[in-house]
Amino acid sequence: MSEEVKVESKHKLNKKFLLFAIIGIVIVTIIAIVSIVPTSVRAKEVKEQLSLGDKYLSELNYEQAEATYLAILKIDPKCEDAYIGLANVYIATEQYEQAEEILRKAEEQLGETKVIKEKREELERKRKGQEEKLKPTVTNTPIPTVTDTPKPNQETAEEYFEYTIQNEEVIITGITDNSLIEIIIPEKIQGYLVTSIDDNAFMFCDNLVSVSIPNSVISIGSGTFQHCSNLLSIGIPSSVTSIGTATFVFCDNLMEILVDENNEWYSSLDGVLYDKQKKSILCLPAGKNIENYIIPNEVESIGDTAFTSCSKLLSISIPNSVMSIGDDAFGWCSSLKEILVDESNERYSLLDGALYDKQKKSILCMPIGKNIKNYVIPNGIETIGNLAFSDCSNLLSISIPSSLINIGYMSFDGCSNLSSIIIPNSVKSIGYSAFANCSSLSSITIPDSITNIEYNTFFGCSSLNSIIISNSVISIE
């Protein structure tokens, strides 16, 4: 064989090798991309499902919370938060064997993490009842104030709290006995300052009447005092710079939230929680005996869950100064019959007692107390807002106009008597859990205009036996 032939053959081999190498790199890249994209999608879905599961848990909807957490574990068997959520469901419902089993499965997947260990310790305390209970008498119990905070017994206070220590600061995560009537949070535990009260730390403490928060606390988490139905009053010290959402939801007897006048972030007026400048109303205590509430003229925003669970309210008047209203601001106001809006308000308007945007392109809230059975959404409406009809359990039917484009998330969640709904072809998006817990809904047709069905859209629709999905739908989460 000549030298020229050998060289040409060698070049051909090199070209083939290079070609195969390029093909191999492309294949590896495609595999990597394919594996990464689903992972990120799953992570997003898990995060959103966790939020929904926590919502159901806070509402004492244990059945739906359990189903949601179990669904998460099918997506991600190593999701610690889902295991802990399930354990919380079983502990709350006194299903201690199930709680033990789910924690055992969590350890099989993740090992004995600190969180799992702490939850197991909580389970043991609940099940065996070995902790000594602190039950001070309620008689003549003074309403706690910020300026007259009782001094805790530093030698014994620690045993009543669950906590973690991070960066030499203590975060209160719970208490060892949910039957306590009085909680006095110490300023220090193990020599470290108590600076935070974690999310849901005192949730479901039904017997709790009074709480004393020390001036060392900077942050109070979301849902911290949810379902503390006998809590009468609470003081916020000057040190607090952050209060989460839904912190006092379902505190049915809470009469007042008192904020130290030296606090630079928050203030109170007549026992109602505001930001410092009183431009944002953050929480109307559910125990206040108010049927018709008039929001002060200076208020510019209504915070998330600001009026949630205020079951005594019959009406709310919104002044012309209000420019924004947060999510679920009027949720679970079971007696609320109308939301009144100043005619000169530039952002919001009123129609038949329901809240709309100014241009009447979006319906934002249908008061639960109106007890509507059949509702016709006016023509020209383009959006049904997030949670707009949530928990309108008397709603039997709703007529949607051909102008509608968007249906917000959880917009009909809990409409347990809604039996039928026709979605027009104009609708382009339906938010997650839009029809969740519509237990009477028997059939529904998804129009050609919809390309994606988000997660939990029909979660808890126990009577649903027919869903017609068009070929336009390319993904179901």
Side-chain angles (χ1 to χ4, degrees):
M1 183 180 293
S2 68
E3 289 297 325
E4 290 182 0
V5 173
K6 287 182 179 180
V7 170
E8 183 178 354
S9 176
K10 185 177 181 181
H11 284 169
K12 287 182 179 179
L13 287 173
N14 288 339
K15 286 181 180 179
K16 286 183 180 179
F17 178 78
L18 181 60
L19 179 60
F20 287 130
I22 292 172
I23 292 172
I25 293 171
V26 170
I27 291 172
V28 170
T29 303
I30 291 172
I31 292 172
I33 292 172
V34 168
S35 62
I36 290 171
V37 171
T39 300
S40 63
V41 171
R42 285 197 302 270
K44 179 185 176 184
E45 183 177 359
V46 166
K47 183 178 179 181
E48 292 173 338
Q49 290 271 42
L50 280 171
S51 177
L52 187 62
D54 293 343
K55 174 184 179 294
Y56 287 137
L57 182 61
S58 70
E59 294 174 351
L60 305 183
N61 192 340
Y62 299 123
E63 182 179 353
Q64 303 292 8
E66 179 187 22
T68 303
Y69 291 131
L70 287 171
I72 293 169
L73 292 176
K74 289 182 180 179
I75 301 170
D76 181 7
K78 293 185 179 294
C79 181
E80 184 177 59
D81 288 339
Y83 286 112
I84 297 302
L86 274 172
N88 286 332
V89 169
Y90 297 139
I91 290 173
T93 54
E94 298 184 354
Q95 299 179 72
Y96 298 134
E97 290 185 5
Q98 288 92 327
E100 176 68 33
E101 176 64 16
I102 204 66
L103 290 175
R104 183 188 66 76
K105 290 181 178 179
E107 287 181 349
E108 288 178 358
Q109 292 288 338
L110 304 166
E112 189 183 38
T113 68
K114 183 178 180 181
V115 174
I116 294 173
K117 182 179 179 182
E118 289 174 351
K119 187 55 61 176
R120 186 179 292 282
E121 291 171 353
E122 177 188 343
L123 171 62
E124 290 304 310
R125 286 192 297 270
K126 299 286 185 182
R127 183 165 54 186
K128 296 179 180 179
Q130 292 179 340
E131 293 290 332
E132 180 182 353
K133 296 183 178 181
L134 175 65
K135 293 184 178 180
T137 179
V138 183
T139 307
N140 296 324
T141 300
I143 292 177
T145 64
V146 177
T147 57
D148 188 21
T149 303
K151 298 297 182 183
N153 182 336
Q154 297 289 353
E155 296 179 356
T156 61
E158 297 178 9
E159 68 182 273
Y160 299 114
F161 296 95
E162 297 168 354
Y163 57 90
T164 60
I165 299 175
Q166 297 179 9
N167 300 320
E168 299 185 347
E169 294 180 350
V170 174
I171 301 171
I172 300 292
T173 59
I175 55 175
T176 59
D177 184 356
N178 282 0
S179 67
L180 295 179
I181 293 174
E182 180 183 22
I183 295 177
I184 302 172
I185 300 174
E187 188 172 299
K188 290 185 177 182
I189 291 180
Q190 294 189 20
Y192 298 111
L193 283 176
V194 176
T195 60
S196 299
I197 305 174
D198 206 4
D199 296 348
N200 307 322
F202 303 120
M203 188 166 66
F204 303 124
C205 292
D206 296 335
N207 295 316
L208 187 62
V209 173
S210 71
V211 179
S212 294
I213 301 174
N215 210 37
S216 58
V217 170
I218 297 171
S219 171
I220 300 174
S222 296
T224 300
F225 297 99
Q226 274 195 61
H227 295 283
C228 292
S229 55
N230 285 302
L231 186 63
L232 299 177
S233 175
I234 191 164
I236 307 295
S238 61
S239 55
V240 171
T241 63
S242 173
I243 300 175
T245 60
T247 302
F248 307 104
V249 168
F250 299 108
C251 293
D252 298 334
N253 289 299
L254 184 63
M255 297 294 293
E256 59 183 357
I257 302 170
L258 304 173
V259 181
D260 189 297
E261 62 182 12
N262 294 316
N263 190 296
E264 297 180 359
W265 294 85
Y266 299 98
S267 63
S268 56
L269 178 64
D270 297 329
V272 179
L273 181 64
Y274 291 83
D275 70 335
K276 184 63 176 179
Q277 293 75 27
K278 294 185 174 63
K279 297 294 185 182
S280 297
I281 183 168
L282 303 175
C283 180
L284 176 72
K288 291 185 77 69
N289 192 23
I290 298 176
E291 293 185 347
N292 305 291
Y293 188 75
I294 300 174
I295 298 174
N297 282 325
E298 298 78 16
V299 171
E300 296 177 357
S301 69
I302 300 172
D304 294 348
T305 69
F307 294 91
T308 295
S309 77
C310 290
S311 58
K312 299 174 184 177
L313 276 178
L314 299 178
S315 72
I316 295 174
S317 297
I318 299 176
N320 62 1
S321 56
V322 170
M323 294 290 104
S324 69
I325 299 176
D327 279 350
D328 210 19
F330 311 108
W332 289 89
C333 293
S334 55
S335 300
L336 186 64
K337 296 183 182 299
E338 60 181 353
I339 301 171
L340 304 173
V341 182
D342 190 299
E343 290 183 359
S344 60
N345 189 294
E346 298 178 359
R347 295 287 183 90
Y348 301 100
S349 62
L350 170 72
L351 182 63
D352 298 329
L355 181 66
Y356 287 77
D357 70 335
K358 186 64 174 180
Q359 293 74 29
K360 291 187 172 63
K361 296 291 186 182
S362 301
I363 180 168
L364 304 175
C365 179
M366 175 59 68
I368 297 174
K370 284 183 71 66
N371 293 324
I372 57 166
K373 293 185 177 181
N374 304 287
Y375 190 73
V376 178
I377 297 177
N379 193 35
I381 296 297
E382 297 177 355
T383 297
I384 298 175
N386 302 333
L387 301 133
F389 290 87
S390 180
D391 298 306
C392 289
S393 57
N394 289 310
L395 186 64
L396 299 177
S397 68
I398 189 160
S399 177
I400 298 176
S402 58
S403 58
L404 194 73
I405 299 173
N406 305 304
I407 298 177
Y409 67 78
M410 301 178 72
S411 49
F412 294 96
D413 183 16
C415 294
S416 54
N417 283 301
L418 181 64
S419 58
S420 65
I421 188 167
I422 298 175
I423 303 174
N425 252 330
S426 58
V427 174
K428 298 186 185 317
S429 68
I430 301 175
Y432 69 84
S433 300
F435 301 101
N437 303 304
C438 292
S439 53
S440 297
L441 192 64
S442 59
S443 65
I444 194 165
T445 299
I446 304 299
D448 294 338
S449 52
I450 297 296
T451 59
N452 175 55
I453 298 177
E454 293 202 34
Y455 70 92
N456 282 344
T457 298
F458 303 105
F459 184 85
C461 295
S462 54
S463 300
L464 192 62
N465 52 44
S466 173
I467 303 178
I468 299 175
I469 301 175
S470 70
N471 292 330
S472 62
V473 174
I474 58 176
S475 67
I476 300 176
E477 297 183 14

